[in-house]
Amino acid sequence: MTMNFIMFGPPGAGKGTYSSRIAPKLGIVKISTGDIFRRIIKEDTPIGREVKEIYNAGGLQRDDLTNQLLKEELEKPEAEKGFILDGFPRTIEQAQALEGITKTDAIINLIVPEEILIEKLSARRICKDCGDIYNVADIDKEVDGIRYILPPMSPKEEDKCDKCGGEIIQREDDKPEAVKNRLDVYKRQSLPVIEFYKDKVPFVNVKVTRGPEVMVDKIIDMLKEANLVE
Ligand code: ADP
Ligand code: ZN
């Protein structure tokens, strides 16, 4: 049985954190288009420079390029048992392209209020070398009657990645101007993707009110309850 999931949600909701922690538990791979673009940016090529300019401003990359890169990942043997897509599809055109390649079993839809997103994004850090995600925010607040307790996700050793020892840095697009643009782009271009899937694919709607130490197991339980995993 293959399991093909989409991890959906606004920037800063935790798509990267949850897909990288849940995928190995299900024996499937995580495919992050953001990670793919960050790798491309590191190569100092004409296409890398083009991607970098868009990325740093918090804009979306071209659909044709993004779809092609995703297709190449899906064709790899590692993706045979299934996958969690982190950050794809982000436009209707991408969702249509995905439909043409393979089936989707469910959307894991991460829900976080904008106020919390902004706080999380500005406090996010990543490993320069392997992309592992950290966060220095220490959030405990109520929004619309719901309490959010999101403790920091710190590396064991200061400024050093737990996984590879790499340097921990702030992403260029986590700086305030780009964050604002990313949230706008999300509302304009990515939210419609929800409508596109609404009557086609089951949704697992997750309010991210706690950190991964609680939410990872909770999401897996929700997938089990919906008979989406064994
Ligand atoms: P976040 O969800 O926090 O914005 P990502 O790492 O998923 O972070 O994306 C970072 C950037 O990578 C985006 O702003 C965009 O430039 C590029 N990107 C990632 N996925 C896509 C996609 N599916 N389509 C177009 N651009 C993408
Ligand atoms: Zn690392």
Side-chain angles (χ1 to χ4, degrees), residues 42-67:
K42 276 192 196 159
E43 300 158 13
D44 195 21
T45 59
I47 183 80
R49 288 190 282 275
E50 194 186 315
V51 166
K52 183 175 180 176
E53 194 169 323
I54 296 170
Y55 181 97
N56 285 358
L60 289 185
Q61 309 295 332
R62 287 187 346 241
D63 280 327
D64 57 344
L65 171 65
T66 310
N67 291 341

Side-chain angles (χ1 to χ4, degrees), residues 9-13 15 32-35 37-38 51 54-56 58-63 66 86-91 94 121 124 171 173-174 182:
K15 297 186 296 294
S32 161
T33 42
D35 285 349
F37 286 121
R38 280 183 285 279
V51 166
I54 296 170
Y55 181 97
N56 285 358
L60 289 185
Q61 309 295 332
R62 287 187 346 241
D63 280 327
T66 310
D86 159 21
F88 187 98
R90 262 171 145 100
T91 65
Q94 292 178 13
L121 283 166
R124 176 161 68 183
R171 267 168 53 172
D173 65 332
D174 280 341
R182 282 158 66 210

Side-chain angles (χ1 to χ4, degrees), residues 209-224:
T209 56
R210 296 292 182 276
E213 67 295 338
V214 175
M215 295 307 300
V216 166
D217 290 339
K218 185 154 183 197
I219 294 172
I220 291 175
D221 284 346
M222 290 171 91
L223 291 169
K224 284 182 183 158

Side-chain angles (χ1 to χ4, degrees), residues 142-210:
E142 213 172 279
V143 181
D144 296 328
I146 299 174
R147 189 164 175 205
Y148 294 82
I149 305 176
L150 305 166
M153 303 189 332
S154 315
K156 292 194 183 76
E157 236 181 288
E158 210 185 313
D159 292 334
K160 226 170 141 189
C161 174
D162 288 349
K163 285 212 178 116
C164 77
E167 187 192 348
I168 290 168
I169 56 162
Q170 182 173 40
R171 267 168 53 172
E172 208 48 53
D173 65 332
D174 280 341
K175 296 179 180 165
E177 264 315 293
V179 163
K180 198 172 154 287
N181 193 32
R182 282 158 66 210
L183 291 169
D184 285 348
V185 166
Y186 171 77
K187 284 181 218 160
R188 259 199 337 268
Q189 306 209 59
S190 303
L191 265 184
V193 171
I194 294 273
E195 289 307 312
F196 175 87
Y197 281 112
K198 209 141 223 172
D199 301 310
K200 291 186 179 166
V201 171
F203 273 64
V204 176
N205 292 308
V206 184
K207 287 199 176 82
V208 186
T209 56
R210 296 292 182 276

Side-chain angles (χ1 to χ4, degrees), residues 127 129-132 161 163-166:
C127 170
D129 297 327
C130 77
D132 206 22
C161 174
K163 285 212 178 116
C164 77

